[in-house]
Amino acid sequence: MEKQILEELYGKLRELIPDFETREEGNKNYISYKMQINDKDFETSVVITNGRAVAITGKRTYIYQIKEKSCEQFNNEVQTRYPLFQIYGGNGNISVGRRLLFDSVDELVTNIREFNSVCKAVIPQFEGSCVNFLVKTREEETYDPTQTFTPLEEESSNEKNADYVESFVKDQQEYCKKTFYELAEGTEPVTKGNDVSFIRNEGDGSLKVTMDKNAPEDLKLDYAYVVDDQELAYIAIANITSTYKELEAFYNEKKRMLHVYSYVTPDKYLPDEPKEGIELLKEAIHSSLETAKKSTVSGEQVSANMQALMNEQLEEIRLKTEELESSRTQIEEERGAFEKEKEAFLNEKNQMEAELEEERTKLQEKEAELEERENAIAEQESINDEEKAKYALSMKNLTGEIARLQARLGQGSAAKEDSGEVAKLKSRLNSVTKARASMEKTLNNENNELRRKNKELSDLLLEKTQETDKLVVVKHFCNTYG
């Protein structure tokens, strides 16, 4: 087996079985590993011969009584459930085997994984139904699933298993030879190099069966059929490879022979498999040729078919063109509607901008009017303050004069004129006081009226400012999405 393929196999096998051992002897590669089944190792070997033939085997021997009747039922049941495996329980042991051919490393790893699963299923079943662990047939202790113990030193199980593998492979090779010569009955096998083969007529074709005489693991079945039409032969090969995945086919142009071949591993549990394989080759080659003949047509028919196909494609193109034109018309209509909506939107936008500008002008005028009124109020308040100051000074002077005259009258030295003067001054003070009160009332009324108008103007200005802000937001939206 090629070193590169072995390295790939070992690498992928490590993911499935962390610990295994390998060795190589001649054209055989051995892989041995252990599985834990019912608290004891079940030792297994994989033997790869000639690069693609594989024998996977495992065996367990018991020192306990085996129920032979139960073994018969067990053997029949597991053979029905696992027809591709060689499973046998009896004579103090149970053995599990599988022989196969593989085309890829992944396929072999998958088969080893399946073998392990089958062993883990059938061995507990065998021990539960066929082994009487209460009765020993010999004294040395090897395995008792009913208690925990330390096993005694015993002969290397690897050597025992290796002997079993050799025996197993030898039996299979003998059965392969037996099958070959049974198929060759009535013909004279011919030896060429390591191969021995025979050829005989099978219906309207010829069958060649080949076996490796040094390592008879499998048989090559080759069915040949005369096909003069080269094109027909290659169409048939395409049909075979697409329909029958397990078969291979080729065409010998020189001899005008179409060959279909496969490999079969004779199995004593499936004795009819080689004959079924031969029948499958016949079926494959004849059904594929029939299919190929139906698919081939004359030149005129080809021309007619091409014209029909061209007409069909032209009709399809016409329908697609109509569909495109319909889509284009619909798009144009939608574009026209969109342009109208866009124009209406832009007109509304322009109108809103004009209204916004008008409102902004009015607002500026109101702001100027408000400022003018505020200035008038400030000026009037300044005048009022001056008037108040004059009245206050006049009242202060009059009050001072009255106080002075009253002081003189109180001293008794004041003349009668002074008494009259005081009366006049008090009359004047009273007049000034009334005038001041009237003036303050008037000024207060004017100030209140100015404040009221100022508040109205201020409220109006606030309202217009808010409306302007709204218009600004709308304009921003229009500029962004218009």
Side-chain angles (χ1 to χ4, degrees), residues 61 66 68 71 88-93:
T61 302
I66 303 297
E68 296 300 331
C71 286
Y88 176 78
N91 298 326
N93 61 67

Side-chain angles (χ1 to χ4, degrees), residues 5-145:
I5 298 177
L6 276 176
E7 290 177 354
E8 181 184 359
L9 172 62
Y10 295 158
K12 293 189 175 182
L13 204 56
R14 292 283 180 205
E15 301 175 5
L16 177 63
I17 307 165
D19 299 315
F20 62 84
E21 297 178 356
T22 63
R23 64 187 175 90
E24 184 177 351
E25 291 183 5
N27 65 340
K28 295 182 180 180
N29 293 278
Y30 292 83
I31 302 171
S32 58
Y33 60 93
K34 301 175 182 179
M35 288 186 286
Q36 276 284 318
I37 302 177
N38 273 5
D39 299 326
K40 183 173 174 61
D41 290 337
F42 183 75
E43 300 189 359
T44 308
S45 288
V46 180
V47 183
I48 307 173
T49 309
N50 293 338
R52 61 190 304 274
V54 179
I56 314 174
T57 58
K59 183 178 181 181
R60 176 174 284 176
T61 302
Y62 300 89
I63 65 170
Y64 300 97
Q65 183 185 51
I66 303 297
K67 305 173 188 177
E68 296 300 331
K69 279 199 169 290
S70 298
C71 286
E72 290 181 13
Q73 182 179 354
F74 169 80
N75 290 335
N76 291 333
E77 182 181 342
V78 295
Q79 189 57 51
T80 301
R81 191 188 311 167
Y82 307 106
L84 299 180
F85 291 77
Q86 295 78 49
I87 304 172
Y88 176 78
N91 298 326
N93 61 67
I94 180 174
S95 62
V96 183
R98 172 77 194 279
R99 294 185 303 118
L100 57 106
L101 301 175
F102 72 97
D103 293 322
S104 67
V105 170
D106 288 336
E107 181 183 355
L108 177 55
V109 172
T110 299
N111 279 283
I112 293 174
R113 180 183 290 107
E114 183 181 5
F115 179 86
N116 294 349
S117 299
V118 171
C119 290
K120 291 177 181 178
V122 300
I123 290 177
Q125 179 184 350
F126 175 77
E127 293 181 350
S129 61
C130 303
V131 181
N132 183 1
F133 288 103
L134 300 177
V135 179
K136 291 183 180 179
T137 57
R138 59 179 185 273
E139 288 305 317
E140 67 264 31
E141 189 69 54
T142 58
Y143 172 50
D144 185 352

Side-chain angles (χ1 to χ4, degrees), residues 394-443:
S394 178
M395 290 175 67
K396 181 179 178 183
N397 292 335
L398 289 171
T399 304
E401 184 66 23
I402 291 170
R404 183 179 61 76
L405 291 174
Q406 285 178 340
R408 287 175 58 187
L409 289 173
Q411 292 175 0
S413 58
K416 187 177 180 180
E417 292 82 8
D418 291 334
S419 179
E421 187 65 27
V422 169
K424 289 180 181 179
L425 288 172
K426 284 183 177 182
S427 177
R428 283 181 59 193
L429 180 59
N430 186 39
S431 298
V432 170
T433 301
K434 289 181 179 180
R436 179 183 177 185
S438 176
M439 180 197 69
E440 287 188 354
K441 181 178 180 181
T442 302
L443 290 175

